[in-house]
């Protein structure tokens, strides 16, 4: 590879930088350089980059050096891509558009870059490739949150093409950005488009008015609000228009025009009310001296009282206004007919109820009719109860209204499941952002942004909230009111230095990264780790409790920047972040061997206390690499075998079952599937192999076939080897699991039934249980998840066994000795009785019927015995002594079919 370095050095020395040289460059020149780099080793790439960087200190426009240094930086995932950006700019200035495209594509393979995207878009504009230019613009506006004009152009282009859905998305994006930059004239232009395109998005427009009032001025917010009012007024949507004009008056109490519009709305809404003009006059709505909000309150309290309306009184319950005569109101209550009260008392004592209020329905409908309606249409029932409570009600409130007045307790149980599913999946229902345990009815379907914010608010776990925030950014724009609330949650925690814990540090790291990525977001207060994490114990404790890998990575970056002894700290932190990142960082540091040796030594010395660390390293690094770090292969194997035995024991004792099963699988994969034991046996002497085998054979729960396979390997390597645990007879059974054809079919059927019947049924049960609510206190959900784990474990075990199975051909039974498929008669030499055994495999084994597995302790002692042979053995301190009387072919059909 030294030739590559020399070749590049020569090219750098021969390079002459002139404008003519730039104009003569083609893509082929860069492809030649790519070939050189692709044929270089990792170590050589480091040297080549140093060579090019040094060359650029005195020849800053070297095309070769800029390209090679930039490409190597990309390959190494370094943050600095300035050399390639400089190179693209150079060719853009010289209008070499094909080369600009080639270089830009290379940079963008590794991630979006705002400068490069702009240069590429400019190239396409210069060559008249408008479609490609717009595609690049679409990518640019997703990463450049200060770019606004292009967003507006994209919106106008989509609108011109008839794609109003996409146009609205871009218009909204541009609107939020113009608000951030307080450009009211552009805000007004887009506002005028949207209020006529999507007038139904009422909540969105109110949100924009609020943002404009906050970011620019109350006057500007009201200006937009008044225009919105006119849209709904012109549509004769009087209730909506009324809501808007009341909001407007809240910000401008003295507006005469707004008062007149308010009265016009009231006259349309209550045009059939007998006392409409009286109440307008009495409330002084038209008089400027009267506080408008007080006037509105007086008017609405009185106008609600009208003949035929339903009311509620705390003592007499539900009633209906029979008539209003002057200052007298006559109400028919269930228990008090034709009751009279003064208008003043009625205004204060009565609550007017809508005809669809649940209390009204319970008073006017029979219980049977209402129950039928509630059971038949759960969505209707939910809307009814929720709206009856001011459009916000919890499940507990809904239950209190329906049980037992409408539904029995048993009926509620099944109805509740269906209702919860509707509340979760029906976009016309949402969660109250102020009270996350309560639901509300929506006039328009809930958006992804609002739904995500509601999920964020209802989530109690800090790190789950971090993941929800990332989901928001992945699927929506962060320059929105919804994301602002999410971001401020973390910012508030980040700026609280009174207590330093994992959540404070994590919030600081999250907001620091996001504020760098999105310049419009406020930055957290800066602090150095070395100033707040003043002792190693605190640093370790904080890091250990961080439950997010991305935050841990940022934490490590801060440690490196803040502490001179960062390498020692990385060694201590490694057990809590088992990835190659720390290893790679130590690998490129000075004195790397000392620190890496410490990582391996620590993991070996504490393998019992921290088995995850040891197993991760054992899985990730070869014996040769362990030896290089000062840990002999034999010690690694002994530790793995010890952990294998411990994990089997813990699984049997139901102790941390999930963790121990995972560790057990890793260890078995290293020892058997990846061939660690095979490699060891081939490279070491008989005494060393014997020490390892003596440990392995004493692990009772290990699959016997694995022990047998290992015996064969040892026998092949050391033909004279004598096993101490039993005679060599068992070695005639080759690797794999011997089974009958029918057993093989049954196991396949069992696997298919679990995959196609049991797992889908269990998944449905988990889904139904999830609908019940809080998963942390949901017994049905936990039981379902436990069964899911058991089924998955059974599937893995069955697949492994089936993969290893070898079907035995019935016509190959060898009756010259005890073997698979034979029946053996034995004379018990202790009492002279005859015992009969049939030798098959573990899948066919039924000891109570005399069918033994050839892998069982007793069955393996019989293998390879011949007629008239006498033999003795001991199992679990019990002595056996037999003489073989006869060996015949076992009745397959009768015994195992």
């Amino acid at each position: 590879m030294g030739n590559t370095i020399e070749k590049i050095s020569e090219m750098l020395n021969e390079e002459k930088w002139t404008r003519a040289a730039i104009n003569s460059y083609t893509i082929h020149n860069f492809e030649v350089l790519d070939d050189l780099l692709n044929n270089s080793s990792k170590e050589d790439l480091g040297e080549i980059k140093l060579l090019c960087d040094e060359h650029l200190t005195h020849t800053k426009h070297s095309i070769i050096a800029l390209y090679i240094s930039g490409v190597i930086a990309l390959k190494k995932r370094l943050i600095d891509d300035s050399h390639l950006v400089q190179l693209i700019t150079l060719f853009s200035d010289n209008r070499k558009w094909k080369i600009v495209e080639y270089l830009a594509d290379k940079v963008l393979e590794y991630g979006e870059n705002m400068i490069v995207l702009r240069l590429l878009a400019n190239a396409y504009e210069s060559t008249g490739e408008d479609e490609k230019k717009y595609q690049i613009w679409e990518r640019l506006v997703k990463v450049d949150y200060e770019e606004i004009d292009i967003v507006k152009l994209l919106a106008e282009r989509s609108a011109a093409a008839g794609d109003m859905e996409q146009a609205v998305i871009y218009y909204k994006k541009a609107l939020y950005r113009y608000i951030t930059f307080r450009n009211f004239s552009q805000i007004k232009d887009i506002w005028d488009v949207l209020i006529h395109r999507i007038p139904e998005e009422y909540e969105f427009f109110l949100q924009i008015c609020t943002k404009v009032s906050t970011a620019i001025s109350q006057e500007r917010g009201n200006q937009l609000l008044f225009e919105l009012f006119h849209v709904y007024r012109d549509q004769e949507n009087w209730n909506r228009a009324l809501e808007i004009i009341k909001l407007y008056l809240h910000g401008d109490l003295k507006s005469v025009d707004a008062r007149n519009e308010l009265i016009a709305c009231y006259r349309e809404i209550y045009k059939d009310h007998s006392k409409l003009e009286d109440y307008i006059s009495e409330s002084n709505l038209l008089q400027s001296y009267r506080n408008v909000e007080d006037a509105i309150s007086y008017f609405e309290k009185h106008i609600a009282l009208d003949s035929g309306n339903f009311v509620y009184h705390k003592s007499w319950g539900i009633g209906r206004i029979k008539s209003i005569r002057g200052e007298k109101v006559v109400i028919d209550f269930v228990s008090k007919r034709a009751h009279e009260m003064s208008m003043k008392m009625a205004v204060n004592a009565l609550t007017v109820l809508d005809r669809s209020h649940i209390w009204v329905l319970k008073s006017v409908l029979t219980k049977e009719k209402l129950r039928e309606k509630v059971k038949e249409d759960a969505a209707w029932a939910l809307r009814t109860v929720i709206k009856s409570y001011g459009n916000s009600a919890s499940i507990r409130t809904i239950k209190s209204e329906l049980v037992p007045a409408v539904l029995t307790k048993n009926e509620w149980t099944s109805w509740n499941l269906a209702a919860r599913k509707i509340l979760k999946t029906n976009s016309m229902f949402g969660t109250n952002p102020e009270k996350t345990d309560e639901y509300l009815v929506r006039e328009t379907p809930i958006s992804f942004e609002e739904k995500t914010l509601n999920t964020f608010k209802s989530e109690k776990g800090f790190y789950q909230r971090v993941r929800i925030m990332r989901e928001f950014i992945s699927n929506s724009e962060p320059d929105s009111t919804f994301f602002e609330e999410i971001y401020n949650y973390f910012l508030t925690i980040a700026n609280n230095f009174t207590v330093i814990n994992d959540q404070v540090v994590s919030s600081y790291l999250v907001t620091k990264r996001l504020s760098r990525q999105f310049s419009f977001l406020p930055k957290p207060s800066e602090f150095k780790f070395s100033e707040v994490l003043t002792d190693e114990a605190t640093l370790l404790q904080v890091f250990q409790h961080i439950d997010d890998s991305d935050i841990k990575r940022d934490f490590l970056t801060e440690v490196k920047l803040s502490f001179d002894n960062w390498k020692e700290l990385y060694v201590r932190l490694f057990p809590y972040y088992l990835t190659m990142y720390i290893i790679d960082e130590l690998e490129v540091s000075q004195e790397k061997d000392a620190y890496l040796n410490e990582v391996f030594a620590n993991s070996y010395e504490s393998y019992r206390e921290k088995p995850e660390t040891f197993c991760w390293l054992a899985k990730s690094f070869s014996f040769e690499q362990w030896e290089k770090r000062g840990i002999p292969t034999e010690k690694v194997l002994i530790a793995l075998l010890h952990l294998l035995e411990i994990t089997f024991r813990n699984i049997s004792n139901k102790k941390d079952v999930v963790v121990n099963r995972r560790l057990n699988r890793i260890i078995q994969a290293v020892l058997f599937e990846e061939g660690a034991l095979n490699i060891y046996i081939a490279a070491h002497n008989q005494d060393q192999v014997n020490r390892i085998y003596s440990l392995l054979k004493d692990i009772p729960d290990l699959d016997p076939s694995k022990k047998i396979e290992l015996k064969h390997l040892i026998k092949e390597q050391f033909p004279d080897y004598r096993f101490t645990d039993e005679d060599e007879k068992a070695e005639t059974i080759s690797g794999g699991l011997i089974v009958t054809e029918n057993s093989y079919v049954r196991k396949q059927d069992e696997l298919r039934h679990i995959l196609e019947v049991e797992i889908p049924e269990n998944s449905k049960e988990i889904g139904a249980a999830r609908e019940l609510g809080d998963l942390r206190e949901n017994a049905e959900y936990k039981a379902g998840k436990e069964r899911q784990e058991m089924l998955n474990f059974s599937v893995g075990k069955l697949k492994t066994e089936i993969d290893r199975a070898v079907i035995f051909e019935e016509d190959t039974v060898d009756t010259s000795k005890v073997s698979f498929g034979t029946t053996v008669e034995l004379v018990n030499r202790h009492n002279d009785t005859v015992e009969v055994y049939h030798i098959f495999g573990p899948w066919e084994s039924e000891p109570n019927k005399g069918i033994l597995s050839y892998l069982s302790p007793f069955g393996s002692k019989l293998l390879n015995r011949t007629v008239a042979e006498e033999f003795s053995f001991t199992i679990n301190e019990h002595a056996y002594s037999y003489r073989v009387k006869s060996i015949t072919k076992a009745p397959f059909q009768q015994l195992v079919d």
Side-chain angles (χ1 to χ4, degrees), residues 294-334:
D294 291 342
I296 289 171
S297 176
Y298 180 94
F299 175 84
E300 292 188 349
K301 281 183 178 179
H302 284 75
I303 200 71
L305 297 175
D306 197 13
S307 300
N309 284 356
F310 287 91
V311 293
Y312 170 78
H313 188 279
K314 64 180 181 180
S315 298
W316 302 318
I318 303 297
R320 192 173 189 181
I321 297 175
K322 185 177 181 180
S323 64
I324 299 177
R325 304 190 194 106
E327 289 298 309
K328 292 290 182 183
V329 180
V330 179
I331 308 112
D332 281 334
F333 291 105
V334 174

Side-chain angles (χ1 to χ4, degrees), residues 308-422:
N309 284 356
F310 287 91
V311 293
Y312 170 78
H313 188 279
K314 64 180 181 180
S315 298
W316 302 318
I318 303 297
R320 192 173 189 181
I321 297 175
K322 185 177 181 180
S323 64
I324 299 177
R325 304 190 194 106
E327 289 298 309
K328 292 290 182 183
V329 180
V330 179
I331 308 112
D332 281 334
F333 291 105
V334 174
S335 58
K336 205 174 181 68
R337 297 284 177 177
H339 178 73
E340 288 189 5
M341 62 172 62
S342 68
M343 176 64 72
K344 184 176 181 180
M345 179 179 287
V347 167
N348 293 321
L350 300 178
T351 301
V352 177
L353 301 179
D354 189 86
R355 293 173 184 272
S356 61
H357 196 289
I358 186 65
W359 297 349
V360 173
L361 296 176
K362 284 197 276 190
S363 68
V364 301
L365 297 178
T366 64
K367 181 175 181 178
E368 291 71 22
K369 188 171 183 179
L370 185 57
R371 175 191 285 127
E372 182 182 346
K373 178 68 174 173
V374 167
K375 291 177 71 174
E376 153 187 306
D377 192 345
W380 171 85
L382 288 169
R383 282 194 300 274
T384 299
V385 177
I386 292 171
K387 285 192 170 183
S388 299
Y389 279 81
N391 202 27
S392 184
S394 66
I395 290 292
R396 180 176 295 179
T397 300
I398 295 169
K399 181 179 181 181
S400 69
E401 283 297 338
L402 299 181
V403 179
V406 180
L407 301 174
T408 66
K409 287 185 178 180
N410 287 338
E411 287 173 330
W412 165 261
T413 302
S414 59
W415 188 91
N416 179 36
L417 276 174
R420 284 179 181 269
K421 186 173 183 180
I422 291 169

Side-chain angles (χ1 to χ4, degrees), residues 77-95:
R77 300 282 180 175
L78 300 179
I79 296 173
D80 184 12
D81 53 10
S82 59
H83 286 160
L84 281 176
V85 173
Q86 182 182 342
L87 192 60
I88 297 169
T89 305
L90 191 64
F91 281 100
S92 180
D93 290 343
N94 285 274
R95 305 181 66 81

Side-chain angles (χ1 to χ4, degrees), residues 568-608:
E568 288 92 337
L569 293 174
Y570 272 27
V571 172
R572 307 285 181 275
L573 293 169
F574 177 71
Y576 310 110
Y577 188 59
L578 298 175
T579 70
M580 288 301 295
Y581 177 76
I582 288 179
I583 300 294
D584 289 341
E585 287 292 299
L586 294 175
E587 186 82 43
V588 297
S589 68
Q590 292 182 344
E591 303 175 333
K592 63 179 181 180
D593 287 338
Y595 296 114
L596 288 173
N597 289 351
E598 190 175 353
V599 168
F600 280 78
N602 289 349
S603 74
Y604 173 72
E605 289 166 7
S606 60
Y607 75 83
R608 294 176 186 83

Side-chain angles (χ1 to χ4, degrees), residues 17-30 63 84-105 116 119-127 129:
W17 191 91
T18 64
R19 188 169 299 280
I22 292 177
N23 289 332
S24 66
Y25 249 81
T26 65
I27 291 173
H28 177 70
N29 295 113
F30 295 109
I63 295 173
L84 281 176
V85 173
Q86 182 182 342
L87 192 60
I88 297 169
T89 305
L90 191 64
F91 281 100
S92 180
D93 290 343
N94 285 274
R95 305 181 66 81
K96 298 283 288 183
W97 305 124
K98 286 299 179 185
I99 291 179
V100 169
E101 181 182 34
Y102 176 82
L103 296 175
D105 286 345
V116 173
L119 289 168
L120 183 55
N122 181 56
Y124 288 139
E125 185 169 31
S126 300
T127 57
E129 299 176 87

Side-chain angles (χ1 to χ4, degrees), residues 12-13 51-62 65:
L12 291 171
N13 292 330
L51 174 67
C52 291
D53 290 346
E54 192 279 328
H55 186 75
L56 288 168
T57 60
H58 53 77
T59 311
K60 62 180 182 179
H61 293 304
S62 168

